[in-house]
Amino acid sequence: MATCSRSRGFHGCKRTSSLLLAAVALSAAWRTPVWPQFCALATSSRWTRTRNCQLHKLGRPAIVAPERAISGARQLPRIGQIFPIANVTNSSSPKLLAGWLSGTFANNSGLVGMDLCSVGGNRNSALLYTLAYLSNDKDASYVSQILPRQRDGRFRVRLFRNVPVEEDADPELFTISSQTDHQKLAWAMRSQLRPGSGDTRHCKSTVQLRLVGREAAEQALLAVEELYWRIRREITFRVFFEERSIPTDEARKDTAGMETKPQLVVSITST
Ligand SMILES: *[C@@H]1O[C@H](CO)[C@@H](O)[C@H](O)[C@H]1NC(C)=O
Ligand SMILES: *[C@@H]1O[C@H](CO)[C@@H](O)[C@H](O)[C@H]1NC(C)=O
Ligand SMILES: *[C@@H]1O[C@H](CO)[C@@H](O)[C@H](O)[C@H]1NC(C)=O
């Protein structure tokens, strides 16, 4: 994101009246998005106006949170469809959708990828569970990559069938709960995946998230997207179920007993 320095900003406004300059300085309007337009309107020179417009565009990008974009007017993508798109809603049955996806891949031998688009707000847990149920397909393996959001602000992943990914044997593990902050989690993963200056000895290529439940799944998927933008590298992830042993209530009462429950694993590799 380009930033607009104070001196450049004032340079662009040098033809404005001193009154305006004083007003701008006094109100620290520099921090507000209104002053560049105000400045552009108040100047007479076309050159200055154009320059101000450019400064405005460069220095004050409209940062629209994905949630905001979704609640606003629906914007259609301006690019043709590259891979077939499947919508995942929060009422989709992940199990049925996974069955449909693997059937569609099996019926179309030339199909290598599909885009899954999360429809219905930022409720992405159904998408993560769909990817997990796909791992039950005995005839194929699936990996996914984060796609940049389009103008509609929807979360998207591109699903690939039978694309091998080389994962680390001893990935760093993160356990996710519904309380996990996806941004902090993304930074923690990034520090594992991205080497410091020149030192690659302690740098991993794979990290794994372990979680149970919808809220945790939502945070995990947002964290993977955040990681993609933070690390600025291609990341590929695989989702699957794993049995984990937890003590039964009897075990807590000091009698022997462990029971197994499925947990969801997201294995993320910097590819
Ligand atoms: C996905 O949802 C969007 C908006 O609801 C709709 O326009 C589009 O046709 C849907 N695509 C498919 C493949 O169902
Ligand atoms: C795949 O093909 C079979 C046989 O033609 C059909 O019964 C099934 O519905 C197809 N599955 C999908 C997901 O299109
Ligand atoms: C599912 O999405 C719809 C909007 O498409 C929303 O109104 C509804 O509250 C969501 N349900 C849940 C359980 O999040």
Side-chain angles (χ1 to χ4, degrees):
M1 182 186 321
T3 54
C4 172
S5 78
R6 185 181 287 253
S7 58
R8 281 182 68 204
F10 274 113
H11 178 63
C13 297
K14 67 184 173 190
R15 283 165 189 253
T16 56
S17 70
S18 54
L19 186 68
L20 173 61
L21 278 179
V24 168
L26 273 176
S27 65
W30 148 256
R31 290 237 166 261
T32 74
V34 273
W35 82 266
Q37 288 112 315
F38 188 35
C39 183
L41 282 175
T43 53
S44 52
S45 149
R46 180 185 290 174
W47 180 82
T48 312
R49 200 178 301 136
T50 311
R51 185 176 159 78
N52 271 332
C53 261
Q54 283 163 351
L55 279 177
H56 179 53
K57 275 189 201 150
L58 284 173
R60 303 269 164 212
I63 299 169
V64 180
E67 293 83 350
R68 293 263 305 280
I70 282 167
S71 64
R74 177 67 59 204
Q75 301 205 25
L76 294 175
R78 294 191 181 181
I79 184 172
Q81 194 170 315
I82 301 167
F83 283 106
I85 299 171
N87 286 334
V88 185
T89 70
N90 57 7
S91 57
S92 304
S93 157
K95 215 169 183 169
L96 290 180
L97 186 57
W100 179 84
L101 285 167
S102 64
T104 304
F105 274 112
N107 286 0
N108 300 278
S109 54
L111 189 61
V112 291
M114 271 181 90
D115 292 351
L116 304 189
C117 185
S118 187
V119 181
N122 251 353
R123 299 242 151 230
N124 307 319
S125 57
L127 205 159
L128 196 66
Y129 273 89
T130 302
L131 296 178
Y133 279 112
L134 267 173
S135 69
N136 292 338
D137 187 341
K138 294 280 170 279
D139 301 323
S141 64
Y142 298 88
V143 295
S144 309
Q145 290 182 343
I146 295 288
L147 288 180
R149 298 192 187 211
Q150 288 178 331
R151 282 152 48 87
D152 57 12
R154 284 174 173 158
F155 185 94
R156 302 188 308 145
V157 299
R158 183 159 289 164
L159 176 68
F160 291 104
R161 184 182 202 245
N162 289 339
V163 174
V165 170
E166 189 186 329
E167 298 180 334
D168 275 358
D170 59 338
E172 190 74 21
L173 306 181
F174 294 88
T175 303
I176 314 304
S177 79
S178 57
Q179 308 299 314
T180 301
D181 179 321
H182 67 268
Q183 301 210 356
K184 288 182 184 154
L185 173 60
W187 280 110
M189 288 193 284
R190 178 189 184 272
S191 66
Q192 291 295 327
L193 291 173
R194 185 145 190 165
S197 50
D199 182 6
T200 55
R201 278 172 301 168
H202 305 296
C203 179
K204 304 232 174 216
S205 294
T206 305
V207 294
Q208 279 189 357
L209 310 180
R210 271 133 215 273
L211 59 114
V212 177
R214 285 175 70 130
E215 281 94 2
E218 220 140 273
Q219 293 305 313
L221 209 45
L222 287 176
V224 178
E225 186 192 33
E226 189 80 19
L227 173 67
Y228 170 66
W229 292 113
R230 296 271 168 259
I231 196 172
R232 293 164 181 251
R233 306 236 171 114
E234 181 183 81
I235 55 171
T236 306
F237 62 102
R238 196 166 63 88
V239 190
F240 54 95
F241 289 111
E242 189 179 77
E243 296 290 318
R244 64 167 184 162
S245 295
I246 57 164
T248 58
D249 285 347
E250 281 73 20
R252 288 197 194 102
K253 288 179 209 145
D254 289 339
T255 54
M258 298 286 276
E259 64 176 341
T260 57
K261 282 202 167 172
Q263 69 179 347
L264 219 147
V265 181
V266 185
S267 188
I268 306 157
T269 303
S270 165
T271 46

